[in-house]
Amino acid sequence: MSMALADKSPGWIDWHPNPSKPTFVPPPGAVDAHCHVFGPADQFPFAPERKYTPCDASRDQLFALRDHLGFTRNVIVQATCHGADNRALVDALNHSDGHARGVATVKRDVTDDELRALHSAGVRGVRFNFVKRLVDNLPKQPLQEIAERVASLGWHIVIYFEAHELPEHYDFFTSLPTDVVVDHMGRPDVTRSPDGPEFGLFLQLMEQHPNFWSKVSCPERLSEIGPHGYGDVVPFARTVVESFPDRVLWGTDWPHPNMTTHAPDDGKLVDFIPKVAVTSELQRKLLVENPMRLYWPEQLAAP
Ligand code: 0GY
C-alpha cells in the first residue's frame, strides 16, 4: 500500500490517548453500543471509495478502553472508511471472547453464505448511512432488497442521517421490515428547541413506530458549547430516554471519526450518561437490558 493511502485526512484529530476514569460507574454488564475499529491500515486497508482517512484504532485498543471505562461489551459498527469490507470488524468480533457483536455494511450482491458467515461472527445488523459528507447517494431499491434479506436473519437496520434529511427519508425508513436503530437521535441541531418541529418529527417517528430505537450518543458531535458537560445536548437525550426507556442505547462513538473541535475524553462522555438517564432503572435499561435484548437475546433467554 502506498504511503498516501495511510495518510490521515487534513485536520484529523486523533482519539484521546489518556481518557479520564469516569465518575459514573456503569451497572454490571454495561454495553458500549456504538463504537468502531479502524484498520490497522497495513492489515485491513481502508476502502478506495472512502471520504476520509482515519488514524488506526485497533480492536485491542477498543477492548482496553472498554475495560478502563467499566464496560463489559461492545457493539462495533462498520464505518464508511472501510466501505462494505467488513474484515476489520469481523476480526475484532472473532477476538472479543464473545464480548462484542457487530453491525456491518453490505452491498446488494452480498451472498447468502457471506451473510451467514457475518452472522456466525456476531453481526446482528446492517447500517444504511445517508450522511452526505460520508457516502455517495444511496439508491433505495438495493437497500430495500438488503432489508428484506437481513429481516429473515432476525437482524435490524441502523440508520445514520442528519435531522434536516428526515422528511426526505421518512416514508422509506418507516417502510423498513425490521427493527430500526437511529444513530445519535437523528443528529438534531441542538441550537433549536427540543420542543420545536425538527426534533418533534424525530419524536413522532419514535412514538408512532414501535420498531424504532435510538442511540442517545454523540454529544461530542452535536454540542455547540463543547466538552464541558455537553449541556446543550442533555435536554434532547433526556427526553428520548424518558419517553422511550425500552428503546434507547448508548455508545462512546470511539474513536470519534471526523471530529474537528476536540479529542473527546471518553471518561467525560461516560459522565454524560447519568445526566440523561437519571435513575438507576433508566441506566440499567439504557446500558444493559436494551442492548442485550437487541444483540445478545439468547443470553436473556438462558435460565
Ligand atoms: C459516527 C460518525 C461518523 C462517521 C461514521 O461511518 C462513518 O464513517 O459513522 C461521522 O463522521 O459523523 O457516528 O460514528
Side-chain angles (χ1 to χ4, degrees):
M1 170 166 327
S2 72
M3 283 300 289
L5 268 188
D7 283 350
K8 287 182 285 183
S9 296
W12 182 270
I13 299 180
D14 284 4
W15 41 276
H16 200 296
N18 191 22
S20 59
K21 194 86 185 159
T23 306
F24 172 66
V25 178
V31 181
D32 172 356
H34 185 90
C35 50
H36 311 285
V37 286
F38 294 157
D42 59 359
Q43 214 183 333
F44 303 110
F46 299 118
E49 72 273 22
R50 70 192 181 283
K51 304 290 187 199
Y52 64 88
T53 302
C55 60
D56 285 342
S58 73
R59 55 166 153 85
D60 292 338
Q61 290 164 325
L62 174 65
F63 299 152
L65 178 74
R66 173 198 68 200
D67 295 345
H68 172 75
L69 297 177
F71 280 68
T72 303
R73 295 183 177 84
N74 296 108
V75 178
I76 306 175
V77 176
Q78 177 78 351
T80 55
C81 56
H82 277 298
D85 176 351
N86 296 290
R87 281 177 296 168
L89 167 66
V90 166
D91 172 73
L93 300 180
N94 285 340
H95 288 86
S96 72
D97 291 328
H99 287 244
R101 291 246 148 117
V103 174
T105 297
V106 298
K107 294 190 181 154
R108 120 201 271 178
D109 62 2
V110 66
T111 66
D112 288 341
D113 281 350
E114 286 166 338
L115 287 176
R116 272 193 289 272
L118 288 170
H119 190 91
S120 301
V123 169
R124 294 294 180 267
V126 288
R127 191 183 198 203
F128 295 166
N129 194 323
F130 297 89
V131 177
K132 292 191 174 71
R133 68 186 161 77
L134 294 173
V135 283
D136 295 327
N137 186 40
L138 292 179
K140 300 271 166 40
Q141 181 56 35
L143 297 182
Q144 193 69 51
E145 291 174 22
I146 292 167
E148 277 154 25
R149 290 178 64 200
V150 304
S152 63
L153 291 166
W155 291 10
H156 60 273
I157 294 167
V158 172
I159 52 176
Y160 191 23
F161 59 91
E162 305 201 295
H164 63 91
E165 297 163 333
L166 180 54
E168 170 192 343
H169 298 304
Y170 199 94
D171 290 346
F172 173 69
F173 290 164
T174 55
S175 75
L176 290 169
T178 62
D179 281 339
V180 180
V181 179
V182 179
D183 278 343
H184 318 328
M185 302 179 283
R187 286 195 69 124
D189 174 350
V190 301
T191 64
R192 299 185 179 179
S193 166
D195 301 322
E198 187 179 86
F199 198 55
L201 185 64
F202 171 71
L203 295 174
Q204 175 193 308
L205 177 75
M206 291 288 296
E207 179 70 45
Q208 294 185 353
H209 299 277
N211 59 322
F212 274 68
W213 297 51
S214 177
K215 293 177 195 163
V216 291
S217 42
C218 232
E220 77 280 15
R221 241 173 242 296
L222 302 175
S223 179
E224 290 290 327
I225 60 171
H228 304 292
Y230 302 114
D232 50 348
V233 186
V234 168
F236 291 83
R238 190 169 167 181
T239 297
V240 177
V241 169
E242 291 179 358
S243 306
F244 313 104
D246 297 313
R247 292 185 275 139
V248 283
L249 305 169
W250 181 88
T252 54
D253 195 27
W254 187 89
H256 312 290
N258 301 308
M259 285 298 293
T260 52
T261 51
H262 64 288
D265 174 342
D266 300 279
K268 297 276 183 278
L269 286 172
V270 172
D271 284 334
F272 175 78
I273 295 170
K275 296 180 186 163
V276 304
V278 301
T279 67
S280 54
E281 188 190 355
L282 288 172
Q283 292 159 8
R284 218 179 41 253
K285 285 174 184 263
L286 177 67
L287 298 172
V288 186
E289 289 171 19
N290 298 344
M292 290 303 285
R293 219 164 68 242
L294 203 54
Y295 291 97
W296 283 270
E298 73 285 358
Q299 296 208 12
L300 296 178

